[in-house]
Amino acid sequence: MPANATSTARLGVIFWLAALWLSVVLISAATAGWWSVPPFDRMDWNNLSALPGTSNSGTVLQNTDELKKNEYIYWLGTDTMGRDIVSRLIHGARISLAVGLCSPLIGFFLGGLLGCLAGYFRGRFESLIVAAMDIILAFPGLVLLLVITFYLGPNLKNLVMTLGFLTIPAFSRVARAKTLALADQEFVQAARLTGAGNLTILVREIIPNIIIPLAIYGLIAVAFMIMVEGALSFLGLGVPAPTPSWGGMIAEGREVLDEAPHVSMIPAGVMFLTVLSFNLLGDSLRNFAERRTSQL
Amino acid sequence: MVIGKKLLRFIFVVLAVTAVTFLMVNILPGDVSYIIGGETATSEDIQNIRRDLGLDRHIVVRYVAWMGRVVRGDLGKSYLSREPVLDAILRRLPVTLELLIISQLLALLLALPAGIFSAYRSNSLVDRLVSIGGFATISIPSFVMALVTIYLFSIKLRWLPATGYTPFFEGPWANIKSFVLPALSIALIEWVVLMRVLRSDMITTLQQNYILMAKAKGLPPWKILIGHALRPSSFTLITVFGIQIGRLLGEAVIVETIFALPGIGRLLINAIYARDYLMVQACVLLITLGYVTINSVVDLLYAILDPRIRTEASNAG
């Protein structure tokens, strides 16, 4: 990359905007229990698919034994069953983030380790790993996912495990490519000449150098996993009701897309911004890391 | 040599795919016969179902028997409609194929001009806008894109129907119309990958000497771009195009469900909801085989099409 005047490694405004949005989503999901919003499953039959900003003006709330008629403003409106969208969004964020963040971790550790070992030891072990990964990749991912969640039953644990399993090949490819590039470098040879064993070289020299690119790749995997979880929930094969999920909320709004598009479009927008932010974060960090290396 | 190796890999993957598909029904928890029998089934019913499915025999025997039947084209009968599974699949296959073809054509229609222009004027304002647009669209899942196109073109503008399907021979025009929105919601996501690949290859091509030569001859830019630069820049595009078709099979499941198109994807989803095991197994087998075959053919085509790979292989050999 040609060094021009602006090549000092800096993270742009876009990076910080993306980071800001993600912090908001993360903190909301973490503090979902403390918000003074109605519970996510409380239905208000007088305000079905209410527009954002509607006040419940003291109507009787179903599904609760509260006698006090609190006045409450639905800042983002209500869904088709009169449930507060804000409340469902922040609780749904828990599912999206749990799946989106946990499943790539499985790929990160297992795939990363396998790829790293394959790239380091080469030979028959490498061919075996590569062949196994090719077979996993030979399946159309979404179809396999649909079928596995169908047979195992949809719940958070199965979802995370299956999605995590499917991310293993991609992580192992990245790790193997990086390890292959590192294995012939001088510092690795130097370590070997000083009498370091395979384990020491892997732990001290190789792994610290592949963990950053792998983690950056992980951010893009998170973005993808959030979309896949959304698609599964949308098809009704995600985490079962009544637990809210963004994909499920988008699906519920389909019936009223004509008269109350916000019921679908607000969760869709939130999901879009979150996925976009993870993509942007991964992209800017990758450019940042590349420029840092080229400057050294 | 290369082709022999690829064929061997193809056969190996197909065997693995059929084995995994088979194991899904047979090893994963929850005996199929209880689910088929339902809650009211007596133990005698369960025994009958188990015998029908051959579940009382050893797993290897069952696999070989199943493979034998699959090879002869017998995929079993649906537990609900009693219809042979193969017939149901063949009836829906054209719908999915038409959806895939139209959506890929639309994606190319978007990707070609955008990719060519972005490469021709790289780092210009238009290039950056295209790149930002691309970044935004790949962050939209296909089911959201489908809802957005329904909202815009069907509810607001009332140009196209949101759901419904007319067979081609009953009304070609209505048939095409029912495919526009589903295909568009796939294409609006798929074009980005194609555009990016074309742009980066085209930028490399435009730096070649023969392009300079063409410029020196005074040829207009569009003639150089289309006539001289496009073909040598499209090898990666063709590969990615092929791989995308496989990936689209997954998207088709979602899009067919939303737009109520009676294709393979909808068949699979309905079979899943109805717990129609044999149908699920057959659909997965077909989709996966299609995916593996497409990928292998593209792989081969790439080796045949790209003269650089051919010469490299012959030099190495």
Side-chain angles (χ1 to χ4, degrees):
Chain A
M1 190 176 282
N4 52 37
T6 57
S7 77
T8 39
R10 269 199 309 158
L11 295 162
V13 181
I14 289 180
F15 172 84
W16 293 110
L17 281 178
L20 181 72
W21 171 259
L22 289 180
S23 328
V24 169
V25 174
L26 266 171
I27 293 170
S28 315
T31 59
W34 302 338
W35 286 45
S36 59
V37 290
F40 62 79
D41 55 355
R42 183 194 285 172
M43 296 177 245
D44 178 355
W45 297 110
N46 293 330
N47 286 302
L48 300 180
S49 309
L51 284 171
T54 309
S55 156
N56 77 343
S57 53
T59 47
V60 184
L61 297 178
Q62 305 288 321
N63 208 7
T64 169
D65 31 57
E66 252 174 79
L67 289 170
K68 222 174 100 193
K69 296 169 183 176
N70 289 331
E71 190 174 356
Y72 178 75
I73 296 170
Y74 300 113
W75 291 110
L76 293 176
T78 61
D79 72 0
T80 50
M81 289 191 244
R83 298 172 296 192
D84 182 36
I85 289 184
V86 175
S87 173
R88 291 180 72 72
L89 271 179
I90 55 178
H91 282 93
R94 293 184 151 188
I95 299 295
S96 289
L97 290 178
V99 173
L101 293 173
C102 293
S103 48
L105 274 184
I106 297 177
F108 180 84
F109 284 114
L110 280 179
L113 188 67
L114 286 176
C116 176
L117 291 177
Y120 185 76
F121 289 110
R122 313 295 309 266
R124 195 167 283 178
F125 179 69
E126 185 185 26
S127 330
L128 192 76
I129 299 280
V130 172
M133 296 302 150
D134 277 356
I135 290 174
I136 303 181
L137 284 175
F139 284 91
L142 191 74
V143 174
L144 189 65
L145 193 65
L146 280 176
V147 171
I148 295 180
T149 47
F150 162 58
Y151 283 119
L152 292 179
N155 60 46
L156 193 57
K157 199 188 94 206
N158 288 345
L159 219 55
V160 170
M161 299 294 264
T162 319
L163 279 170
F165 175 73
L166 290 176
T167 60
I168 290 177
F171 277 102
S172 93
R173 280 193 169 182
V174 175
R176 179 171 153 263
K178 296 281 171 200
T179 311
L180 283 176
L182 282 173
D184 290 331
Q185 299 254 319
E186 281 153 8
F187 66 90
V188 177
Q189 286 173 350
R192 193 170 290 132
L193 286 175
T194 56
N198 284 333
L199 188 68
T200 322
I201 294 179
L202 272 173
V203 174
R204 287 252 181 98
E205 315 291 342
I206 307 272
I207 291 177
N209 279 300
I210 63 168
I211 211 150
I212 300 284
L214 215 55
I216 292 174
Y217 177 77
L219 287 173
I220 291 163
V222 171
F224 191 63
M225 287 303 118
I226 292 178
M227 290 207 280
V228 174
E229 189 278 327
L232 280 178
S233 298
F234 183 81
L235 292 173
L237 294 163
V239 176
T243 314
S245 68
W246 292 348
M249 293 173 71
I250 298 169
E252 279 156 22
R254 262 173 76 188
E255 296 142 38
V256 291
L257 199 60
D258 198 347
E259 57 269 32
H262 71 276
V263 180
S264 268
M265 290 307 163
I266 287 175
V270 170
M271 181 187 265
F272 166 66
L273 285 178
T274 310
V275 172
L276 183 67
S277 297
F278 273 113
N279 274 331
L280 286 172
L281 219 60
D283 197 56
S284 359
L285 280 176
R286 197 177 50 211
N287 286 338
F288 181 73
E290 269 171 17
R291 259 186 259 160
R292 276 281 288 273
T293 356
S294 67
Q295 268 174 18
L296 288 176
Chain B
M1 271 302 281
V2 178
I3 292 176
K5 218 172 170 184
K6 287 196 165 144
L7 203 67
L8 207 69
R9 212 195 115 200
F10 173 73
I11 292 170
F12 186 64
V13 170
V14 167
L15 280 180
V17 161
T18 53
V20 172
T21 317
F22 179 77
L23 285 178
M24 271 179 190
V25 175
N26 291 282
I27 287 221
L28 289 173
D31 193 325
V32 184
S33 48
Y34 287 95
I35 295 163
I36 292 170
E39 280 170 19
T40 53
T42 59
S43 62
E44 200 179 325
D45 292 339
I46 299 291
Q47 284 309 317
N48 284 336
I49 293 170
R50 286 182 69 88
R51 203 166 340 103
D52 277 357
L53 288 175
L55 285 180
D56 43 2
R57 286 176 296 164
H58 190 267
I59 183 129
V60 178
V61 180
R62 264 148 55 197
Y63 176 65
V64 173
W66 180 71
M67 272 302 279
R69 268 178 279 132
V70 167
V71 169
R72 286 197 303 272
D74 175 15
L75 288 167
K77 275 182 187 161
S78 159
Y79 272 91
L80 296 165
S81 57
R82 288 276 153 199
E83 183 188 12
V85 168
L86 190 67
D87 291 0
I89 286 179
L90 286 181
R91 211 150 28 87
R92 282 142 206 258
L93 194 60
V95 179
T96 303
L97 287 181
E98 191 176 352
L99 174 65
L100 292 186
I101 291 169
I102 296 180
S103 63
Q104 284 297 72
L105 285 181
L106 283 177
L108 268 188
L109 219 61
L110 286 167
L112 280 179
I116 292 173
F117 193 82
S118 295
Y120 175 54
R121 289 263 179 264
S122 63
N123 290 324
S124 68
L125 183 68
V126 175
D127 179 29
R128 287 209 193 129
L129 285 179
V130 166
S131 138
I132 292 171
F135 227 102
T137 46
I138 52 160
S139 303
I140 303 178
S142 55
F143 64 98
V144 171
M145 194 61 101
L147 287 188
V148 172
T149 56
I150 289 180
Y151 184 69
L152 281 181
F153 296 108
S154 187
I155 292 177
K156 281 287 147 193
L157 296 168
R158 302 195 176 279
W159 286 352
L160 293 156
T163 54
Y165 165 78
T166 320
F168 187 78
F169 293 108
E170 283 172 26
W173 180 235
N175 172 275
I176 300 285
K177 265 171 106 175
S178 59
F179 274 106
V180 172
L181 285 189
L184 193 67
S185 23
I186 294 179
L188 280 175
I189 294 163
E190 299 300 325
W191 73 281
V192 184
V193 186
L194 301 178
M195 181 272 290
R196 283 182 180 171
V197 167
L198 180 62
R199 178 183 176 274
S200 85
D201 279 10
M202 195 100 172
I203 286 177
T204 320
T205 313
L206 288 178
Q207 287 162 353
Q208 306 279 324
N209 285 332
Y210 69 89
I211 298 291
L212 196 67
M213 171 74 186
K215 269 189 210 158
K217 279 199 298 189
L219 290 177
W222 65 269
K223 232 177 188 169
I224 300 176
L225 289 173
I226 310 284
H228 293 70
L230 185 58
R231 208 183 92 94
S233 314
S234 51
F235 295 121
T236 326
L237 181 77
I238 292 171
T239 322
V240 174
F241 189 74
I243 296 170
Q244 293 286 89
I245 294 181
R247 221 184 65 100
L248 285 187
L249 288 169
E251 303 289 332
V253 174
I254 296 169
V255 170
E256 280 172 11
T257 312
I258 296 176
F259 289 97
L261 287 177
I264 299 283
R266 187 132 173 270
L267 184 69
L268 174 67
I269 289 287
N270 285 345
I272 286 181
Y273 290 149
R275 314 230 132 226
D276 193 347
Y277 277 81
L278 282 183
M279 192 70 98
V280 173
Q281 198 179 23
C283 287
V284 173
L285 185 70
L286 182 95
I287 292 176
T288 313
L289 279 183
Y291 183 72
V292 175
T293 314
I294 290 170
N295 280 355
S296 305
V297 169
V298 168
D299 226 23
L300 272 181
L301 267 186
Y302 184 58
I304 293 167
L305 270 181
D306 191 346
R308 281 168 296 186
I309 286 190
R310 258 191 324 217
T311 39
E312 267 167 39
S314 59
N315 286 348

